[in-house]
Amino acid sequence: MESAAPGVATRAATLKLLDAVLRRGLPLEGALDAAARGLERSEDRALAHAIAAEVLRRLADLDALIDGATTKLLPRDAKARMALRIALAQALRLGTPPHAAIATVLPLVDGGPRRLVHGVFGAVTRGGATLPDVPTLPDGVAERWRAAWGENVVQAAAHAIAAPPPIDLTLRTAGETADWAERLGGTSLAPGHVRLPGGARVPDLPGYAEGAWWVQDLSASLPARLMGAGGGRRALDLCCAPGGKTMQLAARGWSVAGIDLSEARLARVRENLARTGLRAELRAADALTFSADAPVDAVLLDAPCSATGIFRRHPDVLHRARPRAIASMAERQGAMLARAANWVKPGGLLIYAVCSLEPEEGEGVADAFAASHRDFALEPVAADELPAGIAPDGAGRVRVLPGTLADQSGADGFFVARFRRR
């Protein structure tokens, strides 16, 4: 590969990123370090990530352009197709001049495929082709969500992935909501929440250094909100990293212990606790084998899941979450929820949450738990416990779908069920 030309190494890293996601099923963020190992500048790493993310947002539409300009169908994982996706995403979406977009990917392919890439790229760009303003969701995703939630949600999801999501902040002190909304130039959708337009450099914002707030999507803040004030009572936050819910609980007066499998991820929680001046006990352990020293007043399980609800920020999830993986994650969540139930005092709370748009992972797991644990009762969520625009479902659980808060830039897909031990 000819990597000496400026920009080629960055596109080579982009190619590795896309291969990691589409062929090996790895998370985009998790694959970045290995793919960009040869890039010294942070700007080049950021560009490789941005190009890969844009390709993943627009994959179906990019492939339609490529297929429309070739007489012989290219395999989905062919290097020539990958190079064309990278070049076209830059030229048609990221504002890269066409000559630069093609020059930096041609060295990624050799021989005949290089001529093919050059020819297809020229045919598409000279013909004035464009990508639709609203991306086309991957077929499998659209079919699942259409069956589960209806066509309106599919269309809302397609619109949601097209635009950069806003930045939601959770405040350390809810009583200062109006002050921080004014100071940051944002809007508030609930006490202790401020929403800003996307694109801001978070560490440069007022209040970051002194730990007055942390970044947390509005949906992700709901489980801890539904636990109420702690008053010194004890709580467990399972699978707690990156720590938003742990900090919420600490700020609301809970004596909280955060449990997470990854010591590396707990290091980030410790950094956030130190920045905000909040206190929590942290412990590295697997929720499926961890044992609490004594029953507690509340357990919050934000369970590992397919994460399809966070597709606006992480478009790779739409290409990695397949039915078999979703079923496996749902089974694991059920096991975690059953184990977590053992640590709740009589009269205590158990909250189950997932950032997934798959009903097998949300409603399915909650229903199965309720049917097999008669010593727990679903405690319905009242409308006045939720931000305006988000409402409980008919059973009193919370399901946030694409299109929720449509006039306020939406929110991540989420499910929350609250149980109380009899």
Side-chain angles (χ1 to χ4, degrees), residues 12-394:
T14 305
L15 183 65
K16 292 177 182 177
L17 274 175
L18 291 171
D19 179 74
V21 172
L22 297 174
R23 187 173 64 84
R24 293 187 283 149
L26 299 179
L28 182 61
E29 303 292 337
L32 181 58
D33 283 346
R37 186 171 292 132
L39 301 179
E40 296 181 358
R41 300 195 317 151
S42 60
E43 294 90 341
D44 292 335
R45 290 170 57 91
L47 179 58
H49 181 279
I51 298 170
E54 193 61 29
V55 169
L56 294 170
R57 285 190 185 92
R58 307 274 176 174
L59 191 65
D61 299 310
L62 289 167
D63 281 348
L65 289 179
I66 294 167
D67 293 340
T70 55
T71 56
K72 183 179 180 181
L73 190 65
L74 288 170
R76 292 293 169 185
D77 59 351
K79 187 176 284 188
R81 181 181 288 275
M82 288 287 206
L84 279 164
R85 290 164 171 168
I86 293 169
L88 289 170
Q90 292 176 86
L92 301 181
R93 291 298 306 175
L94 299 179
T96 305
H99 70 274
I102 188 62
T104 50
V105 302
L106 285 178
L108 305 181
V109 291
D110 300 308
R114 181 180 294 196
R115 291 189 293 274
L116 173 66
V117 168
H118 195 280
V120 171
F121 181 84
V124 172
T125 54
R126 286 194 303 271
T130 60
L131 290 168
D133 292 336
V134 179
T136 302
L137 296 181
D139 286 343
V141 174
E143 290 168 8
R144 286 202 314 271
W145 292 355
R146 186 176 292 110
W149 313 117
E151 181 63 28
N152 287 343
V153 168
V154 173
Q155 293 303 315
H159 280 82
I161 201 173
I167 298 173
D168 283 335
L169 308 179
T170 296
L171 304 182
R172 184 179 58 201
T173 305
E176 299 176 355
T177 301
D179 293 339
W180 278 110
E182 181 179 0
R183 187 174 175 187
L184 293 165
T187 58
S188 177
L189 305 180
H193 167 270
V194 174
R195 172 165 285 189
L196 308 176
R201 178 172 160 75
V202 170
D204 294 341
L205 294 173
Y208 176 82
E210 57 265 44
W213 47 259
W214 54 91
V215 176
Q216 184 181 33
D217 190 84
L218 180 64
S219 289
S221 75
L222 298 179
R225 287 177 181 274
L226 296 178
M227 282 175 63
R233 291 178 294 163
R234 297 181 62 219
L236 286 176
D237 181 12
L238 302 178
C239 310
C240 68
K245 298 174 185 67
T246 298
M247 291 186 287
Q248 278 183 282
L249 295 175
R252 287 177 163 236
W254 290 89
S255 175
V256 57
I259 311 299
D260 199 88
L261 180 62
S262 169
E263 184 62 56
R265 284 166 58 84
L266 283 177
R268 184 178 175 189
V269 182
R270 290 188 181 92
E271 292 173 0
N272 284 327
L273 287 169
R275 182 174 62 85
T276 57
L278 296 167
R279 297 182 62 183
E281 175 191 348
L282 300 179
R283 179 175 169 183
D286 187 339
L288 283 173
T289 58
F290 166 79
S291 293
D293 298 331
V296 296
D297 300 288
V299 175
L300 193 165
L301 172 64
D302 186 356
C305 66
S306 66
T308 50
I310 60 173
F311 68 92
R312 299 179 303 162
R313 292 177 177 82
H314 302 281
D316 55 298
V317 299
L318 298 183
H319 304 280
R320 295 189 296 107
R322 295 183 172 90
R324 182 177 296 179
I326 292 167
S328 176
M329 295 302 293
E331 183 178 357
R332 182 174 175 83
Q333 291 159 30
M336 285 185 172
L337 189 57
R339 187 165 180 83
N342 296 324
W343 309 325
V344 181
K345 289 180 179 179
L349 287 175
L350 174 61
I351 291 186
Y352 159 68
V354 283
C355 58
S356 168
L357 283 166
E358 315 304 327
E360 299 93 329
E361 290 185 282
E363 289 83 353
V365 172
D367 288 345
F369 175 82
S372 60
H373 290 75
R374 298 298 185 181
D375 53 335
F376 282 83
L378 182 73
E379 183 163 287
V381 175
D384 61 7
E385 295 181 83
L386 298 170
I390 298 178
D393 66 12

